[in-house]
Amino acid sequence: MLSALKAAFESRFAYPDLRWMPDEKLTPSRLRIELLSGLTVALALVPEAVAFAFVAGVHPLVGLYAAFLVGLITALIGGRPGMISGATGALAVVMVALVAQHGVEYLFATVVLMGILQIIAGVMQWGKFIRLVPHPVMLGFVNGLAIVIFLAQLGQFKVPGSMENTGHGMSGGEWLSGMPLYLMLGLVALTMAIIWVMPRITRIVPAPLAGIGIVAILVIAMGLDVPRVGDLASIQGSLPPFHIPMVPLTWETFEIILPYAVILAAIGLIESLLTLNLVGDMTGKRGGASQECIAQGVSNTVTGFFGGMGGCAMIGQSMINVKSGGRTRVAGIAAAMFLLIFILFAAPLIEQIPLAALVGVMFMVVIGTFAWNSFKIMSKVPLMDAFVIVLVTVVTVMEDLAVAVVVGVIVSALAYAWNNATRIHAVTRESVTEKGAKVYEIQGPLFFGSADGFAELFDITDDPDTVIVDFAESRVVDQSALQAIEAVAAKYAAAGKTLMLRHLSRDCHQLLTKAGQLMIDSDDDPEYGLVVDYSVRTGMLGGH
């Protein structure tokens, strides 16, 4: 088992895609864009990391260290250049119960185990299953996450320090009112206006960075009394220290942290892979799912040993990066390094940045992230797809991303199964090759959903002594299909009649052969080189 994992790891990860720009060189102009984009992302990461640390019930530096380490490692070896990772709210809301009950050391141990599980998922190439997520689920994910990002910014409109951690996240707090509220709203609107206008004037500086810089200079120069980054918490700190989680190495500890690690690993990978697809659509790149899983796992394992709360891909910051021009690994690395510089040297300066500027940036991210065309296409797509879009959006807001995606995939799969179950039918005719025989040409797949409908196609009493079931336009999919074929064959046998199968595809042929239901074995029929009729051996699966 270990040797297989090692071989799989080496084959998948020995030579990761570390190309800076697949299609163009890293010119001075490109480097400037990447560095400025990284600086913009780093500024937006600060309040997010601090806020999510508060949500999880840990010290702000625990969130900042996670943002630095996870962001740096995934930028170096992740599956998609341009993506940004760090501490996220989707993970923080799960962590809060663990921290409240067992303490922060158990959180660090959980993050290490979470990373190991993600590495295993990457080595086993489970990331490819993200292909099963339908487009309506993707739209619901994007819309739901945009709403979540918007709601997360509303906390900045409360009096700093008035919110409390109830053990289920931050709640309560006193809303700003009067002149402080008007100033806050005005500065948010000014930031959004600058971001909207700036690209029409010049693209030398990323619009979000220009918005943050101009509003910060205005606030500091005029001495405006508005909430600033420093009002959330001090971000001054040292390098992340190596720290082995101080938990008992017992089975009881493993039982405590395993459920949280599994949930966190699943949420982290789902959000990261969906963000990977979204960034891929914007940049025209594909692939990298398994590599991204491994990168997320390595980053979280390392973060757990350096006092960080873990993290995953951040759709908001990734959108800021891509729309600021970031296309290479340089931007992600720069964002992480700028964040470390803030922590070590520039905390007093960064703490003076008004929260309104950062809120304005995130509001523009919300506007750019939300799939506004989903309102237009709702009336043009099937009703079930429209329902899935709304369902995933609501569940993402009310619960979390992992639950929403799972619910959306299940509903979509059930709808697909039902649609296919109702399509099975048969065209009957007399056989050309077998005199007096009746042929049932099956149309549509035979699986658990259509098994009952398949049984109802046959007129056993009035059929001739020989009946041929032609599967040229059908497929035998699962055990329910095998059981249905055997049940029909048994009824014909009981009536003294013979049931034959014809034109089995290779996969159907192998499925029935493995079940022991075919009495004649041939490799010619699946290729249609020779028409072979198969007798059905009943009693192989047994009745219930």
Side-chain angles (χ1 to χ4, degrees), residues 492-504:
Y492 275 106
K497 301 176 181 181
T498 302
L499 182 73
M500 311 292 286
L501 308 183
R502 177 177 292 178
H503 285 149
L504 293 170

Side-chain angles (χ1 to χ4, degrees), residues 197-219:
V197 171
M198 195 67 182
R200 293 161 173 77
I201 300 174
T202 179
R203 293 184 180 272
I204 295 178
V205 177
L209 181 59
I212 294 172
I214 293 173
V215 173
I217 292 172
L218 179 65
V219 168

Side-chain angles (χ1 to χ4, degrees), residues 120-422:
I120 293 174
V123 171
M124 302 302 291
Q125 300 187 33
W126 291 341
K128 62 187 177 184
F129 290 111
I130 200 66
R131 302 171 187 170
L132 298 178
V133 178
H135 189 65
V137 176
M138 279 292 295
L139 283 178
F141 152 75
V142 169
N143 291 347
L145 220 52
I147 294 173
V148 169
I149 294 172
F150 172 79
L151 295 176
Q153 306 311 310
L154 298 183
Q156 312 299 351
F157 288 88
K158 294 185 176 182
V159 176
S162 64
M163 298 179 68
E164 297 180 357
N165 195 323
T166 61
H168 300 283
M170 302 300 291
S171 63
E174 179 184 353
W175 292 97
L176 293 173
S177 61
M179 186 54 66
L181 176 61
Y182 301 145
L183 273 175
M184 184 79 170
L185 292 172
L187 293 173
V188 169
L190 176 61
T191 305
M192 296 174 68
I194 293 171
I195 295 173
W196 182 72
V197 171
M198 195 67 182
R200 293 161 173 77
I201 300 174
T202 179
R203 293 184 180 272
I204 295 178
V205 177
L209 181 59
I212 294 172
I214 293 173
V215 173
I217 292 172
L218 179 65
V219 168
I220 295 172
M222 298 182 65
L224 299 178
D225 185 16
V226 294
R228 307 188 186 191
V229 171
D231 294 328
L232 292 178
S234 173
I235 66 169
Q236 182 72 49
S238 59
L239 287 171
F242 180 77
H243 173 77
I244 297 177
M246 303 299 292
V247 296
L249 298 178
T250 62
W251 182 253
E252 181 181 358
T253 299
F254 183 73
E255 288 182 324
I256 291 172
I257 67 175
L258 179 61
Y260 288 101
V262 171
I263 294 172
L264 291 171
I267 293 174
L269 289 184
I270 290 173
E271 184 163 355
S272 297
L273 293 175
L274 290 178
T275 303
L276 180 138
N277 283 349
L278 188 63
V279 172
D281 289 339
M282 297 181 68
T283 60
K285 307 300 177 185
R286 289 294 176 189
S290 296
Q291 186 173 324
E292 183 64 30
C293 292
I294 293 175
Q296 293 290 335
V298 172
S299 66
N300 281 308
T301 303
V302 172
T303 300
F305 283 114
F306 281 88
M309 61 184 283
C312 64
M314 308 180 74
I315 186 172
Q317 275 67 23
S318 297
M319 293 301 99
I320 291 174
N321 184 45
V322 171
K323 292 182 177 181
S324 296
R327 293 292 185 276
T328 75
R329 299 183 185 277
V330 173
I333 295 171
M337 297 310 297
F338 277 127
L339 186 59
L340 181 62
I341 292 172
F342 296 163
I343 296 171
L344 296 178
F345 309 110
L349 178 61
I350 301 303
E351 289 171 6
Q352 294 303 310
I353 294 177
L355 291 175
L358 301 175
V359 171
V361 171
M362 298 310 296
F363 278 175
M364 292 300 286
V365 169
V366 169
I367 294 172
T369 301
F370 195 91
W372 300 100
N373 66 325
S374 58
F375 292 113
K376 182 179 179 180
I377 67 174
M378 291 280 259
S379 60
K380 299 181 179 180
V381 298
L383 182 60
M384 181 53 66
D385 287 344
F387 172 74
V388 169
I389 294 173
V390 175
L391 177 65
V392 174
T393 300
V394 172
V395 177
T396 299
V397 176
M398 302 302 295
E399 291 293 331
D400 61 60
L401 173 65
V403 173
V405 171
V406 170
V407 168
V409 170
I410 290 175
V411 171
S412 298
L414 290 175
Y416 175 79
W418 176 256
N419 288 335
N420 279 277
T422 58

Side-chain angles (χ1 to χ4, degrees), residues 464-478:
D465 291 340
T466 302
V467 173
I468 299 172
V469 184
D470 193 327
F471 284 94
E473 301 297 328
S474 181
R475 290 292 183 272
V476 181
V477 177
D478 57 12

Side-chain angles (χ1 to χ4, degrees), residues 522-543:
S522 170
D523 287 332
D524 293 326
D525 185 45
E527 302 296 335
Y528 302 143
L530 174 68
V531 175
V532 179
D533 292 333
Y534 298 98
S535 297
V536 181
R537 180 183 289 117
T538 60
M540 300 308 298
L541 299 178

